[in-house]
Amino acid sequence: MGVVAFAIIRVRDLFAAVMLSGIFSLLAAVLYVDLGAVDVAFTEAAVGVGIATLLFVAAISLTTGKEKAPKKSRAMPLFVVIVTGMILLWGTLDMPHYGDPNAPANKHVVPRYLEQSGKEIGLPNVVTSVLASYRGYDTLGETFVIFTAGLDALVLLGRGRNRWRPGMRSNPKDEEREEEV
Amino acid sequence: METVLGLFNFWAVVVLMMAGFYIVIAHENLIKKVVGLNVFQVAVFVFFISMSKVDGGTAPILGEQFSVYGNPLPHVLILTAIVVGIATTALGLAMIVRIRDSFDTIEDDELFALEEADG
């Protein structure tokens, strides 16, 4: 995954970058299966690899496929990234170790979910029980977020080429207005 | 040695996250920035999922023959986060298409130059 991430930094063809980001998501999905998160893995494979790549390709086809060569020096961003990375690495030092069953994250409400959800909800898959029942409002909020994002995208892109849109260069009405001013 | 093995997952996540962060702040092209944001997001997802792993635990699907399960809660949170992530990506890309419509460029520095020129 690291190799793919660095390839994305280097490559200047946007189409290649998007395909690499799809590969990156797919590798992440494989990793999730390995870590026992099967629900997350198939969501990532469907949404992260499928829909995201589709959206990116659509956006590229509507805009441009090439990234221009950098003009400024990239020393400053690199410096910021390295400093931030160092701080984060320092922050990991007192994190619970990988696979630790006594980590705080595994101790709070989770044993209850694992022991009771089979009886209370009646589903073998604990992830589904928590998602749809214990945290149902979370999921409801999530659907609102998607709805709003879809609505915004439609408003931004509009329908039909001739509709007036403020600030659009190739817009006859806009040019008329500028002349009036 | 135990520390290195125990924290290796976090260190890998930090490297991936910083790669995404670098793409977002160092590249001028807006689509590339959104790709970087996606890389960053996936790094955060890996961070959560790797925390949910319990030694010897299986996927959290109840069965007679298993007694140790992974932590289901991060899985749920990340399921939500993946879907919200695609929503933000879609919105960002829609904005980029719209910016291209208005200014005929999707390079950040050129947009700044246009803004300066407009006064």
Side-chain angles (χ1 to χ4, degrees):
Chain A
M1 283 176 81
V3 175
V4 176
F6 287 107
I8 297 175
I9 296 179
R10 297 300 310 169
V11 73
R12 193 161 297 144
D13 184 23
L14 285 178
F15 189 73
V18 168
M19 287 303 143
L20 283 170
S21 104
I23 295 173
F24 186 75
S25 291
L26 199 62
L27 288 174
V30 173
L31 188 67
Y32 299 155
V33 175
D34 194 40
L35 292 171
V38 283
D39 305 76
V40 184
F42 68 63
T43 310
E44 177 77 39
V47 173
V49 184
I51 302 176
T53 310
L54 190 73
L55 286 173
F56 275 118
V57 171
I60 286 175
S61 75
L62 286 171
T63 57
T64 174
K66 278 269 177 253
E67 181 185 14
K68 297 208 172 121
K71 293 181 203 85
K72 304 187 291 208
S73 143
R74 282 175 172 169
M76 189 61 195
L78 194 64
F79 174 72
V80 171
V81 162
I82 289 174
V83 170
T84 319
M86 287 302 175
I87 294 171
L88 285 177
L89 284 178
W90 177 62
T92 63
L93 289 180
D94 47 5
M95 290 291 280
H97 284 190
Y98 173 76
D100 182 3
N102 293 317
N106 297 337
K107 278 287 160 198
H108 181 43
V109 288
V110 175
R112 186 180 179 283
Y113 285 152
L114 286 172
E115 284 154 22
Q116 303 293 324
S117 75
K119 275 174 257 162
E120 286 179 353
I121 315 293
L123 290 172
N125 190 335
V126 183
V127 175
T128 313
S129 304
V130 176
L131 185 73
S133 184
Y134 295 110
R135 289 189 168 266
Y137 284 116
D138 247 14
T139 311
L140 183 68
E142 173 198 334
T143 51
F144 278 131
V145 170
I146 304 162
F147 176 70
T148 316
L151 214 61
D152 286 351
L154 282 180
V155 168
L156 278 170
L157 295 178
R159 282 194 310 161
R161 286 270 136 203
N162 294 325
R163 209 166 60 89
W164 179 79
R165 292 186 216 163
M168 199 168 151
R169 298 232 151 169
S170 59
N171 201 310
K173 272 192 191 163
D174 213 33
E175 279 161 26
E176 276 169 32
R177 276 178 30 157
E178 271 166 26
E179 276 166 27
E180 278 168 25
V181 173
Chain B
M1 190 61 207
E2 203 195 328
T3 313
V4 171
L5 281 179
L7 295 175
F8 180 74
N9 59 329
F10 297 122
W11 296 348
V13 164
V14 168
V15 171
L16 292 180
M17 207 184 264
M18 287 306 108
F21 186 37
Y22 178 78
I23 299 175
V24 174
I25 62 176
H27 286 258
E28 301 290 350
N29 187 295
L30 294 176
I31 289 186
K32 195 71 170 276
K33 277 180 196 278
V34 179
V35 171
L37 211 57
N38 263 358
V39 172
F40 194 98
Q41 265 177 355
V42 171
V44 175
F45 300 163
V46 172
F47 173 64
F48 269 69
I49 298 297
S50 71
M51 277 203 298
S52 77
K53 176 73 175 169
V54 174
D55 277 330
T58 62
I61 297 171
L62 303 174
E64 293 291 312
Q65 63 273 47
F66 305 116
S67 57
V68 183
Y69 299 103
N71 186 344
L73 201 54
H75 297 185
V76 175
L77 298 179
I78 294 311
L79 277 179
T80 310
I82 288 176
V83 178
V84 171
I86 197 76
T88 52
T89 305
L91 191 58
L93 289 173
M95 279 168 144
I96 291 169
V97 170
R98 185 67 183 74
I99 286 169
R100 154 93 174 177
D101 237 17
S102 293
F103 299 102
D104 211 31
T105 176
I106 53 168
E107 304 282 330
D108 210 13
D109 46 349
E110 291 175 14
L111 286 171
F112 270 122
L114 276 175
E115 213 167 53
E116 296 276 302
D118 276 353

